[in-house]
Amino acid sequence: MFTILSATGKTGSEIIKFFSAAGIPCNAVTSDLSRSVILPHINWVENNIPAGTKKLFLNTAVTADMFDVQRRFIDTAKDAGVEHIVKLSTPGASPTSKDRTGQVHWQIEEYLRNSGMNWNSLQPQTFMQNWLGNLANNVRQERKIYAVAGDGKKAFTDTRDIGEVAFTLLTDPKKYINKIIPLSGPAPVSYYEVAAAISDAIGETVTYIPQTPEEGKARMEKAGFPEWAVQMNLLVDMGQRSGAAEKLFSDNVAEILGKPGRSIYDFAKDHSKSFI
């Protein structure tokens, strides 16, 4: 039996769609059953790993106690006889990460590796779906995109592709067992190219406005971002600005799925209504 944690999240919600479409029974775990979506073959449960689970997708919200939360899920899974865990992590997972979240993900990866169960750690680049929040709001109101990334590039990843990779690893892992798997979109792109893709999708010109870190910080604070989110977004953008993010490009999505991941043009077209 398969169980997906955070099944209403950006990635978990995509994974369960693949199970449903394939006709494979799957448990979908959430902390809020009111957010559950009825799908064929999907059994919704609240904050629990059901008995009989053999394959588990591990993801939880980014919180101050994320290590303890995920450690408990790993311990519970091991005691319940789970054989394989696929964890959603981050490319920044490292004991020396400048981002506290990256340090915690590394600690969880280490704990999982030492659990005795089979495992995978998915390390996707920034989600394209993140653009559907503040970025999309700015596009709707001003036809502008703001970021501190300069002309740096990153291979942004569509969560639909991450979901399909996770589904594939859970159902047919082949040679990928016990590996960290970086994931990215089909090509590194700058925000100038993101603006062009959205412009093409909505038929109106969208302009990218590169900002200094000071300007970006002031913009996010004015928009009501909490301090931790401001600092995290600045760190992510500066990684792109410096060229470090571009070096993280991988072709694992195409290798695992046998097809290229979705491009920014695919994403913008599919979500064009969010930008109008």
Side-chain angles (χ1 to χ4, degrees), residues 9-10 15 31 58 68 95-97 106 112 160 174 223 234 257:
K10 291 175 182 175
I15 299 174
S31 59
L58 174 62
D68 289 331
T96 59
S97 175
W106 179 82
L112 179 57
R160 293 172 292 183
K174 296 180 181 176
L234 287 175
L257 301 183

Side-chain angles (χ1 to χ4, degrees), residues 251-274:
D251 59 0
N252 286 326
V253 170
E255 179 182 321
I256 293 170
L257 301 183
K259 60 183 180 181
R262 292 171 175 82
S263 72
I264 58 173
Y265 284 88
D266 296 327
F267 177 87
K269 180 180 178 181
D270 292 345
H271 295 85
S272 60
K273 291 182 180 179
S274 296

Side-chain angles (χ1 to χ4, degrees), residues 61-79:
V62 176
T63 57
D65 62 345
M66 183 170 70
F67 174 79
D68 289 331
V69 171
Q70 294 202 16
R71 175 184 56 80
R72 287 194 292 269
F73 273 122
I74 292 170
D75 290 344
T76 299
K78 184 175 182 178
D79 292 343

Side-chain angles (χ1 to χ4, degrees), residues 13-241:
S13 62
E14 298 296 343
I15 299 174
I16 63 174
K17 291 175 186 175
F18 286 104
F19 276 98
S20 179
I24 300 175
C26 173
N27 297 309
V29 180
T30 180
S31 59
D32 183 1
L33 287 174
S34 69
R35 297 179 60 198
S36 62
V37 178
I38 303 302
L39 292 170
H41 311 291
I42 303 301
N43 173 51
W44 286 92
V45 296
E46 189 170 15
N47 278 348
N48 180 36
I49 299 177
T53 297
K54 296 300 180 184
K55 307 288 184 72
L56 177 72
F57 176 74
L58 174 62
N59 185 35
T60 63
V62 176
T63 57
D65 62 345
M66 183 170 70
F67 174 79
D68 289 331
V69 171
Q70 294 202 16
R71 175 184 56 80
R72 287 194 292 269
F73 273 122
I74 292 170
D75 290 344
T76 299
K78 184 175 182 178
D79 292 343
V82 170
E83 300 170 353
H84 182 197
I85 292 180
V86 175
K87 169 178 164 50
L88 185 65
S89 187
T90 173
S94 165
T96 59
S97 175
K98 295 179 181 178
D99 175 14
R100 174 60 182 162
T101 300
Q103 295 175 21
V104 173
H105 273 296
W106 179 82
Q107 292 172 342
I108 298 167
E109 287 181 349
E110 284 290 289
Y111 194 82
L112 179 57
R113 277 193 286 266
N114 292 321
S115 69
M117 292 178 284
N118 288 330
W119 59 274
N120 286 110
S121 179
L122 304 183
Q123 296 187 348
Q125 290 287 291
T126 302
F127 300 166
M128 294 181 192
Q129 276 71 9
N130 289 353
W131 299 335
L132 300 178
N134 185 257
L135 185 149
N137 186 55
N138 288 331
V139 171
R140 287 192 300 269
Q141 293 183 357
E142 305 178 46
R143 294 294 186 257
K144 292 179 181 178
I145 293 173
Y146 300 93
V148 181
D151 59 0
K153 295 186 176 184
K154 175 184 287 188
F156 296 93
T157 314
D158 193 306
T159 58
R160 293 172 292 183
D161 294 325
I162 303 170
E164 188 170 4
V165 167
F167 166 77
T168 301
L169 293 175
L170 288 167
T171 56
D172 187 19
K174 296 180 181 176
K175 62 182 179 180
Y176 300 104
I177 287 286
N178 298 340
K179 290 185 178 181
I180 292 174
I181 303 178
L183 299 175
S184 61
V189 297
S190 70
Y191 275 110
Y192 288 108
E193 293 165 280
V194 174
I198 297 174
S199 297
D200 186 69
I202 68 175
E204 295 184 34
T205 299
V206 176
T207 304
Y208 167 47
I209 308 296
Q211 295 187 308
T212 65
E214 293 75 21
E215 290 171 335
K217 183 175 187 294
R219 170 179 51 82
M220 287 185 279
E221 289 175 343
K222 183 177 180 180
F225 283 56
E227 181 60 23
W228 67 266
V230 171
Q231 295 304 319
M232 182 180 69
N233 285 324
L234 287 175
L235 190 64
V236 168
D237 272 7
M238 291 303 292
Q240 184 173 338
R241 185 189 188 107

